[in-house]
Amino acid sequence: MLVPVESKLIEINKAQAFPITLAWSRLEGRPRSNKFDRALKAEVRDALWMLTKQWQMGEFAGDDAGSPVTCKISTSTATVNKYQAGSQPVQPFDKEVPFEALVEQRPLPFSTLEQDISLDLRLVMGRRWIQLLKNKGVLAATRQFFLDHYGIQQPIPDESGATICAHAEVWQQFAAVAGRMVDGARLYADFTAATHYYNLPDFPLPADTGTFDEIEATFTAWYKDLFYQPADAANNAWQPQQLEYQFAIAAGTPAGEKVMHAEEYYHGHLDWYNVDINRNVPALDQLPGNPAPPPPVVNTQSMIPAPVVFDGMPNTRWWAFEDGKTNFSYITPDTTDLAKLLLVEFGLVYANDWYLIPYRLPVGSLTTIKGLTVTNSFGETFWIEAAGRGDDNDWQRWNMFSLKVDSDTPVAADTDLLLLPSVAKIQEGKPTEEIVLIRDEMANMVWAVETVVPLPSGYSKRGAETAGEFHGFLQKLVTDAVGPVVTPAPVTDGDEAARIRYQVMNTIPENWIPFVPAHTAGSHQEVQLQRAAMPRILEGDTAKPDKIRPRTALLQPGLKDKLPYFIQEAEVPRAGVRVTQSFQRTRWTDGRVFVWYGVRKTTGRGEGSSGLGFDRIVDRPVEK
């Protein structure tokens, strides 16, 4: 008798003799013909439902909107021709230089209050000078002369050389090149001195200085090409009292000169949003020689608008799909992310309603759009006005790339377009100086903590470590001079078992520089922060304590001339301020490389406490 296969499998599974896995093949439909015409028609079976949904969404309310076909634009372009750094003299605006380098440039730090620094740069400049002398064949006759007059000196391990000898690695570097290498920075400073080096009586060559003038010209051109810095050390836009850059530019428009200024720039990238129009200043001072400003260029041009296209935008074609790399559904903006919400709305709702008109403008210019007309596909011509027109104080107006107007009286909004010669990317080196301004509510003052301090070798070190080494070296000098400090015998007055003692004042690290509140001149209510100093207490030193001076150039304004230094109180919020100084590098449009020394300011990390205290009762260890 024949047994069905299905029954046999059921019996085997019940007996559990061995497991059996059942599998089925996938069923696929077989087309009856090779024609796909009907399938590609995408027929709609319920057209009435589709019409009702369109009526429900308001798609039947047509507005007879045509697509732009042609447009005509008329502009007036004025050249920015004046630049003023802070309150310094006005100079011509150089658009062949990155604007960040022009504004942020500061003189290289070759010296501080007590000591010459940047040994690495001095050695590089000195080596270049020796190479130029060798190329001209005058090295053998003048090498010893330059070593005697401009050579690196051996540091003396006393108070005068404490900034070098207090740090072992710095002392080693100076000792390794002392008497062997030329100080290029000191030699470069002698080029403009009254007594030139080849006018000295012991100069070994005759009075024919043509060769050395040529060497100096080559050396100067090489140095200026290597580092971009102001010709005058004081002619820079950094304002120490505000801890930010301030500058002004001007352009000659048909209505007169237009002045634009930046009062709070410290971000590291310059663009139109850093500059405001200053209506309170009618014009900047005249340029040297009083040259006439270049006249504005009027241009009229006809163009064809092109629709805006971006990845991920809704595609209107039936068999085309959007780019999956841009997925707007993955965006999860917060309720306060207005810019992100506007971007999503633009991409999903109004993506096909925007058109682009390419228009080329020169850098370093201020452009006024005199008129714009658009002709659509119905042959209608429309006059387009700026969306941001109206009163400048009207917060409901919508605008982009427009400048804010600073004026004492209500004025109309300015819709001019400013195009600055800025760069897209800047390489920033490690900070050579760093200070952190923090508020100390317990001491009722502000502390400027030098967290990174430049060393004379050209490298930098942590401020706390540098302060400890410097104080320890000075303490060693005092100890070697007067001998070890002898602890006086305890007084047996019956209170020798007391576990507390009175302390007049405790000490803090030397890299903490105090700023105390001081009244602003002419005001009894406004307060500013004035740089102060802590005394340097050395055990066994009978002389009057010296004042601790800052070692960073950011905190040394006015010290050389014995002038006070003030910081506006509003510049140090409760969160604190972090200010750094470092080298910046970028490549310009013509391939040139610009390297300059600039400052950055960022927000701090909150309040702090130095632990400074007066009239304290402290514990005293009791000997058993």
Side-chain angles (χ1 to χ4, degrees):
M1 181 179 65
L2 298 177
V3 180
V5 177
E6 293 80 0
S7 300
K8 192 66 176 177
L9 291 175
I10 293 174
E11 292 178 1
I12 294 176
N13 287 335
K14 289 182 178 180
Q16 296 183 355
F18 54 87
I20 296 179
T21 301
L22 302 178
W24 286 268
S25 298
R26 184 177 63 182
L27 299 179
E28 297 181 358
R30 178 181 297 176
R32 298 183 179 181
S33 64
N34 296 329
K35 297 180 180 181
F36 299 93
D37 298 343
R38 185 176 179 183
L40 293 178
K41 290 180 180 179
E43 298 176 348
V44 177
R45 297 299 180 183
D46 196 349
L48 181 60
W49 182 87
M50 298 289 290
L51 293 174
T52 53
K53 293 300 294 183
Q54 287 181 287
W55 169 80
Q56 182 183 9
M57 301 302 294
E59 295 185 7
F60 292 159
D63 54 1
D64 295 333
S67 300
V69 177
T70 60
C71 69
K72 182 177 290 187
I73 184 172
S74 178
T75 60
S76 176
T77 303
T79 302
V80 179
N81 64 324
K82 291 182 181 180
Y83 169 74
Q84 184 180 22
S87 59
Q88 301 299 321
V90 179
Q91 55 183 322
F93 183 83
D94 189 3
K95 64 179 181 180
E96 301 299 329
V97 175
F99 199 34
E100 289 86 352
L102 180 63
V103 172
E104 299 176 7
Q105 57 175 333
R106 299 200 69 200
L108 295 182
F110 283 115
S111 63
T112 59
L113 185 65
E114 301 175 349
Q115 177 65 46
D116 293 338
I117 61 174
S118 300
L119 177 64
D120 51 352
L121 296 180
R122 294 175 181 271
L123 294 179
V124 170
M125 297 172 66
R127 183 177 60 181
R128 177 61 176 172
W129 178 258
I130 294 297
Q131 291 176 349
L132 294 176
L133 294 178
K134 182 178 179 180
N135 295 339
K136 292 296 182 179
V138 294
L139 176 61
T142 58
R143 181 183 182 88
Q144 192 60 41
F145 170 83
F146 287 108
L147 289 176
D148 294 340
H149 290 78
Y150 302 98
I152 304 296
Q153 302 297 322
Q154 182 74 25
I156 302 175
D158 59 6
E159 189 174 354
S160 63
T163 53
I164 295 178
C165 301
H167 317 289
E169 68 278 12
V170 180
W171 194 354
Q172 292 175 357
Q173 294 176 14
F174 271 84
V177 298
R180 301 173 53 194
M181 298 297 294
V182 173
D183 187 346
R186 195 150 53 93
L187 179 65
Y188 179 76
D190 186 71
F191 291 171
T192 57
T195 303
H196 210 276
Y197 64 87
Y198 51 63
N199 293 328
L200 297 177
D202 57 342
F203 191 69
L205 293 182
D208 183 12
T209 60
T211 301
F212 291 94
D213 291 339
E214 183 180 350
I215 295 176
E216 289 180 12
T218 305
F219 181 83
T220 302
W222 166 82
Y223 174 71
K224 291 183 177 181
D225 184 67
L226 189 62
F227 299 105
Y228 185 77
Q229 55 182 332
D232 185 6
N235 192 7
N236 64 87
W238 177 252
Q239 304 298 314
Q241 290 189 346
Q242 286 79 21
L243 298 176
E244 58 203 12
Y245 291 100
Q246 294 182 3
F247 63 91
I249 56 177
T253 64
E257 185 171 300
K258 183 174 291 187
V259 179
M260 296 153 283
H261 66 163
E263 295 183 325
E264 297 180 359
Y265 167 66
Y266 51 84
H267 315 85
H269 177 68
L270 267 173
D271 215 327
W272 56 271
Y273 46 78
N274 297 117
V275 180
D276 299 330
I277 295 178
N278 190 1
R279 290 289 179 85
N280 299 322
V281 177
L284 297 180
D285 296 336
Q286 293 296 330
L287 292 172
N290 196 13
V297 179
V298 179
N299 184 25
T300 302
Q301 187 175 352
S302 298
M303 293 168 291
I304 299 177
V308 175
V309 179
F310 56 91
D311 293 338
M313 68 178 299
N315 205 316
T316 57
R317 300 180 66 86
W318 175 256
W319 292 111
F321 297 91
E322 294 82 3
D323 188 359
K325 295 181 181 179
T326 306
N327 193 340
F328 289 99
S329 63
Y330 288 167
I331 300 178
T332 56
D334 196 10
T335 54
T336 59
D337 294 338
L338 298 181
K340 191 179 294 184
L341 290 171
L342 289 174
L343 177 62
V344 174
E345 184 179 10
F346 163 75
L348 296 178
V349 180
Y350 306 104
N352 59 348
D353 295 340
W354 292 82
Y355 284 78
L356 181 67
I357 301 174
Y359 194 75
R360 187 182 298 271
L361 293 174
V363 295
S365 64
L366 184 67
T367 302
T368 302
I369 300 179
K370 303 176 63 177
L372 174 63
T373 61
V374 176
T375 303
N376 62 9
S377 55
F378 297 130
E380 300 172 328
T381 301
F382 297 92
W383 177 262
I384 308 300
E385 295 182 347
R389 69 187 187 278
D391 187 14
D392 185 71
N393 295 326
D394 186 6
W395 62 273
Q396 293 183 338
R397 65 186 182 91
W398 186 91
N399 62 342
M400 288 185 65
F401 307 108
S402 63
L403 305 179
K404 177 180 175 292
V405 181
D406 291 339
S407 177
D408 296 335
T409 58
V411 294
D414 193 289
T415 58
D416 291 353
L417 178 63
L418 177 64
L419 188 59
L420 296 173
S422 56
V423 295
K425 182 67 176 178
I426 297 177
Q427 293 178 326
E428 185 174 355
K430 294 182 178 180
T432 59
E433 295 183 6
E434 180 182 272
I435 62 173
V436 177
L437 295 169
I438 60 175
R439 288 189 174 270
D440 187 354
E441 296 297 339
M442 296 300 297
N444 193 23
M445 64 174 60
V446 170
W447 294 95
V449 185
E450 296 179 318
T451 54
V452 177
V453 175
L455 298 177
S457 61
Y459 298 93
S460 300
K461 204 171 187 177
R462 292 179 61 249
E465 187 176 356
T466 304
E469 293 177 352
F470 188 73
H471 186 274
F473 182 81
L474 294 180
Q475 181 63 60
K476 183 177 182 302
L477 293 179
V478 174
T479 304
D480 294 342
V482 303
V485 179
V486 179
T487 304
V491 179
T492 58
D493 56 356
D495 294 333
E496 60 271 8
R499 296 179 177 272
I500 60 175
R501 65 183 176 89
Y502 172 72
Q503 186 184 60
V504 178
M505 184 186 72
N506 62 348
T507 60
I508 60 173
E510 292 192 1
N511 62 317
W512 287 61
I513 308 300
F515 279 78
V516 297
H519 282 290
T520 305
S523 174
H524 296 287
Q525 296 180 351
E526 188 176 357
V527 176
Q528 56 186 347
L529 305 173
Q530 181 178 3
R531 179 186 56 205
M534 297 290 294
R536 179 178 288 119
I537 306 300
L538 301 174
E539 294 185 6
D541 189 8
T542 59
K544 181 180 179 181
D546 293 333
K547 295 180 179 180
I548 299 176
R549 301 299 186 185
R551 299 187 60 174
T552 57
L554 292 171
L555 296 178
Q556 290 183 352
L559 269 182
K560 188 172 294 184
D561 299 328
K562 297 182 179 180
L563 297 176
Y565 172 42
F566 298 95
I567 295 179
Q568 300 296 330
E569 187 189 20
E571 302 299 334
V572 186
R574 297 182 66 89
V577 173
R578 175 178 174 265
V579 185
T580 61
Q581 194 163 212
S582 60
F583 285 96
Q584 319 289 330
R585 182 183 185 273
T586 190
R587 186 179 293 276
W588 194 225
T589 55
D590 56 0
R592 289 186 299 166
V593 175
F594 286 84
V595 178
W596 69 94
Y597 200 55
V599 185
R600 296 285 185 272
K601 183 175 74 170
T602 54
T603 306
R605 297 185 178 181
E607 300 179 0
S609 176
S610 62
L612 179 65
F614 301 89
D615 300 331
R616 303 176 61 191
I617 299 298
V618 297
D619 295 334
R620 189 189 73 170
V622 179
E623 297 181 359
K624 295 182 180 180

